[in-house]
Amino acid sequence: MSSQLPSVVPPPMGSPDPLTNYARAIRDVYYHSVAALSVMSWDCMSTLEDEVRYIWPMRVGYTFKWLYLFLRYIPLFAQISTQYIISHMISGTSAYDLCKSWQMSMIGLVLLTSVAMESILAFRVYALFRRQLWVTLLLGCLISAEASCALLTLWKRYLLGWDAACILFPVLPISKVHGVLSLATESTLIIMTLLKRYAIVKAGFSKVPVVTMVTRDGSLAYLLMLALLGCSFGIVNLMGWPPLVMFFWTATMHSACGSRLILNMAQLPRPKGTEHTDGGILLTSQVDVSLDTVASIIISYPCMYLSN
């Protein structure tokens, strides 16, 4: 269906004048999309040197290389293309298919980057706990439940209609369920990380670089997730901004956080005997941290275990 969307004024959003609210929503979406793109562009430039040094030399088959490129450049491409698409959206001349495809791709991108970032964190916790089966089952169930909820959210949004400018839509109840599952997953990850950190420090090993890094990154990622959830509530319920605004910022934060998680792992000191490994790039997939052998942390290729 290639016909244009009807020029229908959306219902009032807390103001006696719906046209004023509509114009304000359009302005907010445009300003936030430009601001989010600026932040993402700056973040890409600030990590470009480390990316060239640690990511580009990786073999084509390395899982984390492609995961990094996805988290870094797909959201950037989506933000750039949005600047072109949004001009048609706010002019009221957007086609139905373009509107639907754009919104579905934005929502899907945010949900996918969220699952990708949590998978990176889960992999690190899995390595910290010496790849125990119960950790795999616990984290696998949590992430699978969140991914399933994300797909359901995408489907529910597909069934809804679109407004004339393709920027206004309600917050679905299933989105709140997805937020709760995300909070549960992130809370489980940070609790497990902190418990392992406590056990290691109690055993007298307080300066193991990989454990310090995993704890720091996990804590920052958790705080970021709390900030995103808090901002989502504030933007929709307090500020009165359209929910679409949060898609721009969430995609930006997921891109920055996920790519930096991989970069930080890539910059860990390499063990002896691997200096001449192809690319010289090592990520942690075997971090055997036990109270007896915590000093002998092994860093090896991530795909070694991802492929098993």
Side-chain angles (χ1 to χ4, degrees):
M1 180 176 180
S2 58
S3 60
Q4 293 182 345
L5 289 169
S7 297
V8 179
V9 176
M13 300 186 305
S15 166
D17 186 0
L19 287 175
T20 300
N21 270 325
Y22 199 54
R24 184 183 300 116
I26 293 174
R27 179 201 62 192
D28 291 338
V29 167
Y30 177 72
Y31 285 172
H32 281 275
S33 67
V34 173
L37 174 59
S38 300
V39 172
M40 183 178 291
S41 300
W42 170 84
D43 185 65
C44 288
M45 294 300 297
S46 66
T47 59
L48 183 59
E49 182 178 354
D50 288 335
E51 176 185 326
V52 172
R53 181 179 178 183
Y54 294 103
I55 303 299
W56 289 10
M58 288 183 178
R59 286 182 178 178
V60 175
Y62 288 173
T63 302
F64 277 90
K65 177 176 184 175
W66 293 106
L67 187 57
Y68 175 91
L69 294 176
F70 165 76
L71 287 168
R72 176 52 83 199
Y73 291 107
I74 298 300
L76 179 62
F77 172 78
Q79 296 274 25
I80 293 174
S81 61
T82 291
Q83 303 309 308
Y84 170 77
I85 296 173
I86 203 170
S87 62
H88 295 276
M89 302 296 183
I90 63 179
S91 67
T93 61
S94 56
Y96 177 84
D97 289 340
L98 176 62
C99 171
K100 180 170 67 175
S101 300
W102 176 69
Q103 277 204 13
M104 294 297 291
S105 61
M106 284 297 297
I107 296 173
L109 176 63
V110 168
L111 297 176
L112 191 58
T113 53
S114 174
V115 172
M117 189 179 72
E118 290 179 354
S119 297
I120 297 172
L121 292 170
F123 182 79
R124 292 147 65 107
V125 172
Y126 165 75
L128 277 177
F129 279 80
R130 305 178 64 188
R131 308 182 302 282
Q132 297 183 41
L133 178 60
W134 70 270
V135 176
T136 305
L137 294 176
L138 173 61
L139 299 182
C141 288
L142 287 172
I143 294 178
S144 297
E146 185 177 349
S148 300
C149 188
L151 292 175
L152 184 58
T153 300
L154 200 61
W155 173 248
K156 290 287 187 180
R157 180 65 194 101
Y158 176 81
L159 297 178
L160 291 179
W162 282 264
D163 66 282
C166 197
I167 62 171
L168 299 177
F169 53 85
V171 178
L172 299 173
I174 191 64
S175 298
K176 300 177 182 179
V177 176
H178 180 265
V180 171
L181 289 174
S182 179
L183 179 61
T185 302
E186 293 279 357
S187 298
T188 301
L189 289 170
I190 190 60
I191 289 173
M192 294 179 68
T193 301
L194 293 177
L195 288 175
K196 177 60 71 173
R197 169 71 175 178
Y198 172 76
I200 293 172
V201 172
K202 188 176 180 181
F205 301 96
S206 59
K207 295 183 179 180
V208 180
V210 66
V211 179
T212 300
M213 183 270 298
V214 169
T215 305
R216 179 200 65 204
D217 289 357
S219 300
L220 292 176
Y222 184 69
L223 292 176
L224 173 64
M225 187 273 302
L226 291 180
L228 287 174
L229 290 177
C231 288
S232 299
F233 175 82
I235 282 176
V236 176
N237 296 280
L238 302 179
M239 302 296 294
W241 291 339
L244 184 59
V245 164
M246 278 309 300
F247 288 129
F248 303 127
W249 290 112
T250 303
T252 298
M253 295 299 104
H254 285 170
S255 173
C257 184
S259 58
R260 287 176 183 272
L261 286 173
I262 297 176
L263 271 178
N264 290 344
M265 294 296 280
Q267 296 178 56
L268 285 173
R270 288 166 292 180
K272 294 181 179 180
T274 61
E275 292 83 356
H276 302 289
T277 303
D278 184 22
I281 307 301
L282 301 173
L283 296 179
T284 300
S285 71
Q286 183 182 355
V287 190
D288 286 336
V289 183
S290 65
L291 298 184
D292 297 327
T293 62
V294 70
S296 58
I297 296 176
I298 304 173
I299 303 175
S300 59
Y301 293 107
C303 297
M304 183 184 300
Y305 294 101
L306 288 177
S307 60
N308 288 341

